[in-house]
């Protein structure tokens, strides 16, 4: 399906978009002149790269992986976070970070992104521009251009402002084989920092809660942290970002994929005091709250010290910690050794604790 | 953001999904056990490939383009078509064909797809399964696997059943340089078949119109047609599928990108009689009605006869026709020589003639 072609609209026929109090209408999704104008004056202007300027229905580029033993990866994420703007980010920056991170969790260097927008009729153009500019800033900061895209519009009441789906591709360097199935008994579980900020930031905003210290989402792109880690040892076995479902669910996923158990020391898991307090107030367990700028790494115990040192030397890993071990367990249980010396099983998230968190 | 990991759910804890009268609930998007079950019992079961079975947050594969002079392409499309089911297809098959076609219009062989779903709470699982199975069938028929994906759920009234965003990547063979900017005065404009079926099928369904002969969407994957065309001449200059905005808008886009005009013979444009009649009834101009299984090709006049022959030899090109020429025109006008001997300018689609057509 054609997005409209920005380079080919004759500007003489069109008044500029009104970014002060204009709104999205159905014509912006019809594929004609209004679509082309939106693409040219908003998306191409903000994302600003050679591929979008060409105005084709796809982006073409040189082959990504050319070295011996390199592989490619692709990842996609739909973003429906509500509210659209929250402390520490918005749906635009989140849509960039989320997909960059999914690519990076294979140990890959992210190369290119695509972005598809589903807009609700009457959505304010001012808000859309704010989101798109935030996306552009995140993309530039990551060094990963948004090279192709699409825009659709649905009637009022058939969407919710804006949904953004991003897709990313990247290259896994030779010698890197990271996979959820590679955890082995005796391995060490590392966590790159404090948990729970993203989910708590969203829930606080949604519930209208004001805490003394504002809790900001940890939304961030982790690809340079991953690169620093792989520079000290290519033997990392598993990487994953504990997003929806939180740390506990992510550990359960990995345990299931690898056919192992985990033993996690609760006291070793870093949580900001204000997140702890907010979770108590909101009735949430930080172990199940989404993160958007953290990763779990599993490696052989001999590799753990240098990997942890590399993580702590990166701005996004200063609070990195060793939080537990991989153990043999036919049931695939994730056991938590509590702060009080007890033990409990941390199961998968069940139910809908935090809807539309990303 | 993690999709949940299907391989790692312990089936003993979960009752199978109820595909007869079950419905999507918010838990299916929360990233925990219910999400993992939906992915395992629906998406992985239907799409059935090694990448999804691995249960990672991304798919890894061998480098796509390895030959000298090859390039890669990426394309994305959000699909919000309403109704979800229509004569000749549904949102699932459309989401596969649309993105396969955007990749193919660069002259590329499509290699892999991703798919992101935004589901509305209470959407029937039976409908979702029907859509996913249609997508799987289209993907298998195209030979392009869906290797990674994501699922989100929004509250009732914040979406519209299901939206599907697909992303495709592929490889452009060496020696192929197809781009909207390459049309030159003297070139010939070819069209692969009859226009208007997709838009008319959707509109008829939406308006509850019953025609004597049911009009079916032309939704189809065009990559094998493109391959057959490029096998007879790699010198095709422009390829594009006239989707939203229809043939007239697509020709305007290309004219603008290439800085040329077009002269099109209306009598040469194939339109089914029942589509003509339906357009009259619905107040539509077939030139602006969306197609989902047609392409426009522009080539040097010397290459046109063999290219047209190759198109006609393919099942999706039997009604292919030469419909006009590229001309010099500083204004970039697309002129239509009407059936009655007159001339008119076919401008871009303006307004919102056909909302949510794809």
């Amino acid at each position: 399906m054609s997005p409209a072609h920005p380079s080919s609209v004759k500007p003489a026929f069109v008044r500029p978009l009104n970014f002060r109090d204009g709104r999205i209408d159905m014509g912006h999704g019809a594929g004609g002149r209004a679509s082309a104008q939106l693409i040219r004056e908003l998306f191409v202007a903000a994302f600003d790269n050679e591929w979008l300027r060409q105005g084709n229905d796809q982006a073409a580029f040189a082959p990504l992986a050319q070295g011996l033993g390199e592989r490619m990866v692709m990842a996609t994420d739909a973003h429906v976070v509500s509210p659209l703007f929250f402390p520490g980010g918005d749906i635009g920056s989140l849509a960039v970070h989320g997909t960059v991170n999914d690519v990076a969790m294979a140990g890959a260097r992210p190369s290119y992104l695509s972005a598809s927008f589903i807009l609700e009729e009457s959505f304010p153009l001012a808000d859309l521009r704010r989101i798109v500019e935030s996306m552009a800033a995140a993309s530039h900061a990551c060094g990963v251009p948004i090279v192709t895209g699409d825009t659709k519009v649905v009637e009022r009441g058939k969407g919710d402002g804006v949904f953004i789906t991003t897709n990313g591709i990247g290259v896994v360097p030779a010698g890197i084989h990271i996979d959820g199935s590679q955890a082995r008994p005796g391995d060490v579980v590392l966590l790159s920092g404090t948990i729970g900020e993203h989910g708590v930031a969203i829930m606080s905003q949604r519930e209208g809660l004001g805490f003394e210290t504002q809790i900001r989402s940890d939304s961030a792109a982790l690809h340079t942290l991953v690169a620093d880690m792989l520079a000290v040892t290519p033997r990392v076995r598993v990487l994953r970002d504990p997003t929806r479902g939180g740390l506990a669910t992510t550990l359960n996923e990995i345990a299931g994929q690898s056919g192992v158990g985990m033993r996690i020391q609760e006291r070793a898991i870093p949580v900001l005091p204000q997140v702890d307090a907010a979770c108590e107030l909101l009735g949430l367990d930080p172990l199940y709250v989404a993160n958007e700028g953290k990763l779990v790494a599993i490696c052989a115990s001999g590799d753990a010290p240098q990997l942890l040192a590399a993580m702590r030397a990166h701005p996004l890993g200063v609070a990195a910690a060793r939080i537990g071990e991989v153990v043999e367990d036919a049931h695939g249980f994730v056991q938590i050794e509590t702060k009080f010396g007890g033990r409990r099983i941390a199961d998968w998230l069940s139910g809908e604790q935090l809807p539309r968190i990303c």
Side-chain angles (χ1 to χ4, degrees), chain A residues 85-135:
Chain A
F85 302 96
F86 47 82
D90 56 55
I91 192 172
S93 52
L94 189 67
V96 170
H97 295 156
T99 292
V100 163
N101 290 349
D102 274 353
V103 169
M105 292 306 122
R109 297 185 300 267
S111 306
Y112 297 105
L113 290 173
S114 69
S116 276
F117 295 79
I118 299 175
L119 307 173
E120 186 187 11
E121 185 186 15
S122 88
F123 188 66
L125 283 172
D127 287 350
L128 183 59
R129 182 160 73 171
R130 194 175 149 201
I131 289 164
V132 169
E133 287 179 349
S134 163
M135 246 182 128

Side-chain angles (χ1 to χ4, degrees), chain A residues 290-326:
Chain A
N291 311 278
E292 292 292 347
K294 297 297 164 1
L295 62 81
V296 170
I298 295 179
C299 64
S301 67
D303 290 328
Q306 55 179 341
L307 203 55
L308 198 55
M311 291 166 79
R312 287 178 174 158
H314 188 283
L316 293 173
V318 286
R322 173 182 171 140
I323 62 166
E325 300 79 42
V326 177

Side-chain angles (χ1 to χ4, degrees), chain A residues 12 87 124 160 169 174 180 207 210 220 224 249 280 302 339 350 358:
Chain A
D160 195 16
I169 55 175
E207 306 290 329
T224 60
T249 301
E280 192 125 335
K339 291 173 189 162
S350 61
C358 60

Side-chain angles (χ1 to χ4, degrees), chain A residues 8-93:
Chain A
S8 46
V9 178
K10 306 164 200 86
F13 290 81
V14 184
R15 270 196 303 190
L17 285 174
N18 177 354
F19 282 113
R20 209 182 54 183
D21 41 31
R23 287 176 180 270
I24 287 293
D25 63 42
M26 295 305 292
H28 289 121
R33 191 182 293 283
S35 299
Q37 183 182 19
L38 183 69
I39 292 169
R40 187 185 68 242
E41 295 182 16
L42 179 57
F43 297 111
V44 178
F47 298 152
D48 188 32
N49 60 59
E50 59 185 295
W51 298 277
L52 288 177
R53 278 193 295 272
Q54 284 164 7
N56 290 312
D57 286 349
Q58 66 293 112
F61 36 82
L64 290 191
Q66 298 195 291
L68 198 68
E70 290 183 343
R71 289 174 303 144
M72 281 190 58
V73 292
M74 177 158 76
T76 187
D77 267 314
H79 298 84
V80 300
V81 66
S82 173
L84 297 170
F85 302 96
F86 47 82
D90 56 55
I91 192 172
S93 52

